[in-house]
Amino acid sequence: MSKPNLLSGMQPSASSLHLGNYLGALTQWVKMQEDFNAYYVIVDLHAITVPQEPAQLRENTRRTAAQYIAAGIDPEKSALFVQSHVPAHAQLAWVLNCITGFGEASRMTQFKDKSQKGGADNSSVGLFTYPILQAADILLYQPKAVPVGEDQRQHLELTRDLATRFNSRFGQTFEIPEAHILRETAKIYDLQEPTAKMSKSAADPKGLVNLMDEPSVIAKKIKSAVTDTDGEIRFDRDAKPGVSNLIGIYSAITGESIDSFTASLQGQGYGALKTAVADAVVSALDPIRNRAQELLGDPAELDRLLASGAAKANEIAERTLSDVYDRLGF
Ligand code: ADP
Ligand code: NA
């Protein structure tokens, strides 16, 4: 029996992924490769909805691809590709633009959030219509499930509405995808501000562990993590966010339970906790960084892998687009 299709996208917006991306998303995507026929797309068309420096965008796209492969996305099992290498994304987006109401698009709350700084008048129309491009990204691959975080729920609803509308106007064409809500098992917090989510936009770079950080840098960041003064190694997110974050990171990265890890540290201090966490993070991330460096040092190999991903994606995307064009009377 063939596996169901699954589509997931990632921004080429940072030169390094961080520990939160790795534990919160990437490890789940690696696992999903076993149960799904997965399409993983690096969304460069989405990236240009806000200004980009071309050389930086190109570099970030390559670095993103290298890190996903290094972290376990297997280009043999899954299609890992760059969105602009598959023209059907932009082509289907245009068609969907033409069946989306202006009011309907205006109700997408993320546009309001993302355009806040410059205001709507200073935002691109691309930023306004990006949920429609996202619908195209999904519908081309006929997935039964789309892994989404809570923040993407509204966009998946739009995708389902547009697919249903197209099917009823023009005939059955698209699978209606279900939300596959990602488990929030591993939420990772900032090392310097442990009540805030670890994020690439961290105020203090020491709060953020990057996949591409050198082992000595990772160890230093973990050893200077904010803790508290009671000296007790105990998991309690509210009373002890810093210590709990360190314990949570250790547990997520090693698979050892929180109870067994804290028991093993009985009678020891925060120094021992930090050393254990630093060692675990370094030994998990070091092979990833090395493999990513190796791929970045061999651009021909990286290009070959991305081209094979685009070929797999084009095969199904072109088929869907051709059905769409046919039904439209093109
Ligand atoms: P950032 O918050 O750094 O901008 P993104 O929004 O690009 O990260 O997140 C990409 C993926 O990584 C999302 O699926 C998100 O759920 C996951 N992720 C990001 N930060 C964390 C975190 N601190 N803990 C767990 N998962 C995270
Ligand atoms: Na974010």
Side-chain angles (χ1 to χ4, degrees):
M1 209 182 78
S2 73
K3 298 173 183 175
N5 290 349
L6 175 127
L7 185 282
S8 196
M10 54 272 199
Q11 290 281 346
S13 55
S15 60
S16 179
L17 296 169
H18 57 72
L19 189 61
N21 300 140
Y22 176 66
L23 293 174
L26 197 36
T27 54
Q28 298 193 54
W29 294 7
V30 170
K31 284 197 202 103
M32 288 188 296
Q33 297 182 108
E34 308 306 323
D35 301 325
F36 294 95
N37 184 25
Y39 292 85
Y40 292 125
V41 54
I42 301 173
V43 293
D44 57 349
L45 297 177
H46 285 283
I48 65 163
T49 55
V50 296
Q52 296 288 333
E53 206 281 297
Q56 190 66 57
L57 177 59
R58 184 171 293 119
E59 175 69 11
N60 285 349
T61 300
R62 306 181 67 80
R63 289 176 67 94
T64 301
Q67 289 170 78
Y68 276 82
I69 296 169
I73 299 297
D74 180 348
E76 298 294 324
K77 274 187 202 152
S78 306
L80 174 72
F81 65 101
V82 178
Q83 192 182 23
S84 64
H85 297 178
V86 179
H89 287 255
Q91 292 169 303
L92 180 60
W94 178 255
V95 172
L96 297 179
N97 264 293
C98 297
I99 65 162
T100 307
F102 188 81
E104 189 177 28
S106 307
R107 283 192 292 276
M108 297 296 117
T109 55
Q110 285 220 351
F111 178 70
K112 296 189 191 99
D113 299 342
K114 293 196 177 188
S115 65
Q116 238 161 26
K117 264 190 214 131
D121 284 353
N122 295 311
S123 298
S124 72
V125 174
L127 186 65
F128 180 70
T129 61
Y130 103 88
I132 302 168
L133 176 58
Q134 208 172 38
D137 299 338
I138 294 168
L139 296 176
L140 283 172
Y141 300 93
Q142 308 282 1
K144 288 202 188 323
V146 185
V148 286
E150 204 46 55
D151 59 331
Q152 291 298 317
R153 229 183 226 288
Q154 193 187 31
H155 292 172
L156 188 66
E157 270 317 303
L158 177 71
T159 302
R160 291 165 53 85
D161 288 348
L162 294 177
T164 306
R165 187 174 307 155
F166 189 96
N167 286 349
S168 73
R169 273 193 210 165
F170 301 102
Q172 179 59 40
T173 308
F174 297 118
E175 181 82 43
I176 312 296
E178 302 286 341
H180 176 96
I181 300 294
L182 286 174
R183 292 167 300 128
E184 274 239 350
T185 44
K187 189 157 185 184
I188 306 302
Y189 295 84
D190 190 285
L191 296 173
Q192 291 300 316
E193 202 188 319
T195 51
K197 195 180 83 113
M198 186 177 283
S199 164
K200 60 178 169 286
S201 44
D204 177 349
K206 287 202 306 299
L208 177 67
V209 171
N210 288 306
L211 257 51
M212 299 302 277
D213 282 344
E214 298 281 341
S216 60
V217 173
I218 295 177
K220 206 169 161 196
K221 286 177 177 173
I222 291 174
K223 287 182 181 168
S224 53
V226 166
T227 51
D228 53 48
T229 52
D230 73 18
E232 227 184 299
I233 299 176
R234 181 166 58 83
F235 189 87
D236 179 341
R237 287 264 186 225
D238 297 324
K240 297 171 67 65
V243 167
S244 303
N245 188 34
L246 290 171
I247 297 170
I249 289 172
Y250 184 93
S251 171
I253 215 156
T254 61
E256 184 175 340
S257 75
I258 284 171
D259 288 347
S260 129
F261 179 53
T262 49
S264 77
L265 289 168
Q266 267 321 304
Q268 301 192 64
Y270 293 163
L273 168 65
K274 287 177 171 178
T275 301
V277 176
D279 288 350
V281 173
V282 165
S283 62
L285 298 193
D286 204 36
I288 296 176
R289 184 182 55 97
N290 286 331
R291 176 70 181 126
Q293 295 289 19
E294 205 174 272
L295 284 164
L296 290 167
D298 187 354
E301 171 65 1
L302 190 53
D303 286 347
R304 190 190 65 76
L305 293 172
L306 290 174
S308 80
K312 279 192 244 178
N314 264 308
E315 202 181 297
I316 174 164
E318 281 172 9
R319 211 183 313 136
T320 303
L321 184 73
S322 149
D323 283 349
V324 167
Y325 277 10
D326 194 46
R327 304 223 152 95
L328 285 168
F330 288 178

